[in-house]
Amino acid sequence: MEFRQITYFLEIAESGTFQKAASRLGLTQPALSKQMFLLEKELGITVLERGGRSVRLTHEGERFYQYSIKMKELWEEIQNAFSKENELKGNFSISAGGTVSAWILPQILKDILKKRPGLSLSVREGDASETKNAVLKGEVDLGILTGPISEPSLNVLEFLSDKIYPVAAKDHPIFQKTKIKIEDIKKQPFVCFHPGSALRKAVEKKIKSFSKDFGPNIAMELRSVESVIQSLEAGLGIGFLSEYSINSKLKKINFQDWNTERKFYLCYRKKSGPTLAYLAEEILKSAEKWKLERE
């Protein structure tokens, strides 16, 4: 059970409908319904009686409502007790790779800055090694890295999961085949990210699991996500992109058992003090909200 589910439950109970509660919480109705389903599943009881447009509390829901009020009051007491320590003001910097910087962070940071007028956040784009070094040297406050991460001087928090897919322009000749095999992929020119890219490393590791002697025909090695996307749209080869950056002009290439996933982690130095820990928590909350709204 997560505390935000308690907050959602209380809002539904007070609003009387999922629609009103979702609007007040800044969520979509399906995302809110999913969280209530998960809450009831974990509790093993039904707390809301759905009927028509309105909802009512069940007998178990009435009991849970009283406990929820107490939990909310306790949480508010804790927040008030540490409010001075948790004030988020000032300038902070974040380093992340191209995919995160272009397709994930903008909406998350927009959400945080809207709630925190005294806060200023800047983003520096860098590959995995550049981001890690920048955090360790204190050049930036926070870094978003692809795991696994083994660095004792850093606090490491799970941020988001990401799936990587082989893609090409929709009119690419490879889609004329009814069944695409690894041999078909080998024959194609590759539009790749540069060797220091975490996505490039993840792709190469996966390709080797299919064919150890596979030496890709690399036509382009690029640093920015936008450069890769435009080259793929132009039909200059096939490439590999995060699920977050695939647009309507590109198409996934389905072959064999391709399934590549990576996890992003939010990192900051352990000796940074409580302010960065609180900022990291804010970023994780906004990331969770953003993820729910995409579902």
Side-chain angles (χ1 to χ4, degrees), residues 259-273:
N259 181 20
T260 302
E261 186 172 290
R262 59 177 175 170
K263 286 190 176 182
F264 295 123
Y265 292 87
L266 188 62
C267 309
Y268 61 95
R269 297 179 304 283
K270 286 185 176 179
K271 296 181 180 181
S272 300

Side-chain angles (χ1 to χ4, degrees), residues 94-101 123-132 134 144-145 194 196-198 223:
I94 303 170
S95 180
T99 298
V100 176
S101 298
V123 177
R124 176 199 292 189
E125 187 176 323
D127 62 31
S129 60
E130 290 170 344
T131 294
K132 184 177 180 180
I144 297 175
L145 293 166
H194 66 101
S197 163
R223 291 194 67 86

Side-chain angles (χ1 to χ4, degrees), residues 18-85:
F18 273 85
Q19 185 177 5
K20 287 181 181 178
S23 178
R24 292 178 183 178
L25 291 165
L27 297 172
T28 62
Q29 193 170 330
L32 183 59
S33 297
K34 181 180 179 180
Q35 290 304 308
M36 288 304 96
F37 169 79
L38 294 173
L39 176 64
E40 290 179 326
K41 183 178 179 182
E42 186 170 353
L43 290 172
I45 59 173
T46 301
V47 295
L48 296 169
E49 185 177 307
R50 290 109 169 138
R53 294 185 177 181
S54 62
V55 293
R56 294 189 304 170
L57 297 180
T58 63
H59 175 68
E60 291 84 358
E62 291 284 357
R63 291 179 60 199
F64 185 66
Y65 180 81
Q66 298 304 318
Y67 284 115
S68 298
I69 290 292
K70 292 178 181 178
M71 284 188 279
K72 182 182 178 183
E73 290 173 347
L74 179 59
W75 178 241
E76 289 174 349
E77 183 181 335
I78 293 170
Q79 285 184 311
N80 290 333
F82 295 97
S83 60
K84 290 183 179 179
E85 290 182 24

